[in-house]
Amino acid sequence: MPALLFDVVANSKWHDLWQPGFIAVFAISGLVSTAFALFVSLSRQGHLADAAIEGLNAGYPNVGFMGFPIALYALGKDALIPTTIAAIITMCVIFAVTIIIVEIGLQTERHPRHLIIKVGKSLIKNPLLVAPALGALFPLTGVAVPATVETYLKLMGGAASPCALVVLGLFLTGREKAPAPTRGATAFLVSCKLLLQPLLAFLLATFVFQLSPLFTNAAVLLAALPTGTGSYMLAEYHHRDVSTTSRTIIVSTLLSIITISVYVGTVH
């Protein structure tokens, strides 16, 4: 995952990606869906770190693994720019904000100054945040990533989602039937991901920012993608319970076959 984050950011062309309307639509819809699920989860279980991870399940679309092929098929080559923007926002904004909240939730220190110092130390040692920050130095300075490094990044980054999916499958085969609370939480998070986030994206793109048809369709389509495996990786990285997260990813992926097919059908 750090290699994938570094590669996406390092190879971005900022002058092509500066689309403020689309950035606002996709970021707001993702962050609102994440925040809504976080607060509901927090009221249910009371632990900020776990609630943050569950919130991420509701606003973290699988842009990197599914977004590019689906968007390019449904909307054509012009969809590459909004999809790249969505990938950067998903991994470097929504994901990063969640990491910060998780780190805060895991700290026992409650004095504000000491809390900030401890969280800051944890963040600068987290490769999921350090990698995109370092990657941003390349487009900012205009320096190209060396070819040998780029080859390594492509190999490592390309393995992130497949490896996570294999681990998810192994996790699910080793667990008994999900208890009722887990099933209820999964249903809620899947609803937020597949219905709430794309609905917010549509309303914002159509009535607030009045985006072009291409960017509107791209915002809705990418927001409607199932939950990405990043939330599972984050839960494992911090040794949190992954039962609800893993099932949310699996169920949302299966159901998105229907929801995305319907939307793509309307676009065509």
Side-chain angles (χ1 to χ4, degrees):
M1 178 61 85
L4 177 62
L5 293 172
F6 184 99
D7 190 44
V8 169
V9 176
N11 288 287
S12 299
K13 295 179 175 59
W14 298 115
H15 58 84
D16 292 333
L17 302 180
W18 181 239
Q19 304 289 338
F22 181 84
I23 292 171
V25 168
F26 198 81
I28 293 172
S29 62
L31 290 171
V32 168
S33 185
T34 298
F36 175 65
L38 185 155
F39 285 116
V40 171
S41 177
L42 189 62
S43 66
R44 175 173 55 84
Q45 60 176 314
H47 197 293
L48 181 59
D50 292 326
I53 292 173
E54 290 198 4
L56 185 62
N57 290 324
Y60 184 88
N62 196 346
V63 179
F65 190 53
M66 297 176 61
F68 284 97
I70 292 177
L72 291 175
Y73 165 76
L75 305 175
K77 61 185 174 89
D78 291 336
L80 181 61
I81 289 178
T83 305
T84 303
I85 297 171
I88 294 173
I89 293 173
T90 298
M91 294 186 285
C92 300
V93 178
I94 299 174
F95 196 64
V97 169
T98 303
I99 291 176
I100 294 172
I101 297 174
V102 169
E103 290 287 355
I104 293 174
L106 293 176
Q107 299 298 328
T108 57
E109 177 63 60
R110 287 296 173 258
H111 189 281
R113 185 171 66 86
H114 295 159
L115 176 62
I116 291 173
I117 293 173
K118 292 185 72 173
V119 171
K121 289 181 179 179
S122 297
L123 294 177
I124 61 176
K125 294 188 294 184
N126 192 319
L128 298 174
L129 283 181
V130 174
L134 293 176
L137 296 177
F138 286 86
L140 290 175
T141 59
V143 177
V145 180
T148 53
V149 176
E150 181 67 21
T151 300
Y152 170 79
L153 293 172
K154 293 294 185 186
L155 289 171
M156 292 295 292
S161 292
C163 286
L165 292 173
V166 170
V167 174
L168 278 172
L170 292 173
F171 172 83
L172 291 173
T173 58
R175 294 295 189 274
E176 298 178 356
K177 185 178 179 181
T182 300
R183 293 200 299 271
T186 299
F188 167 71
L189 295 174
V190 170
S191 298
C192 289
K193 183 68 216 61
L194 298 185
L195 299 176
L196 176 61
Q197 188 179 2
L199 176 61
L200 289 173
F202 173 77
L203 294 175
L204 290 168
T206 303
F207 300 107
V208 179
F209 294 94
Q210 299 179 341
L211 301 183
S212 67
L214 170 66
F215 280 89
T216 297
N217 287 325
V220 177
L221 179 61
L222 295 170
L225 293 171
T227 302
T229 55
S231 54
Y232 182 88
M233 296 177 190
L234 186 61
E236 281 284 358
Y237 181 83
H238 289 284
H239 307 291
R240 312 307 299 175
D241 178 61
V242 295
S243 57
T244 300
T245 296
S246 60
R247 290 183 173 88
T248 300
I249 295 172
I250 296 296
V251 174
S252 66
T253 300
L254 293 174
L255 291 180
S256 69
I257 297 174
I258 300 172
T259 56
I260 291 177
S261 297
V262 170
Y263 188 76
V264 170
T266 62
V267 171
H268 283 284

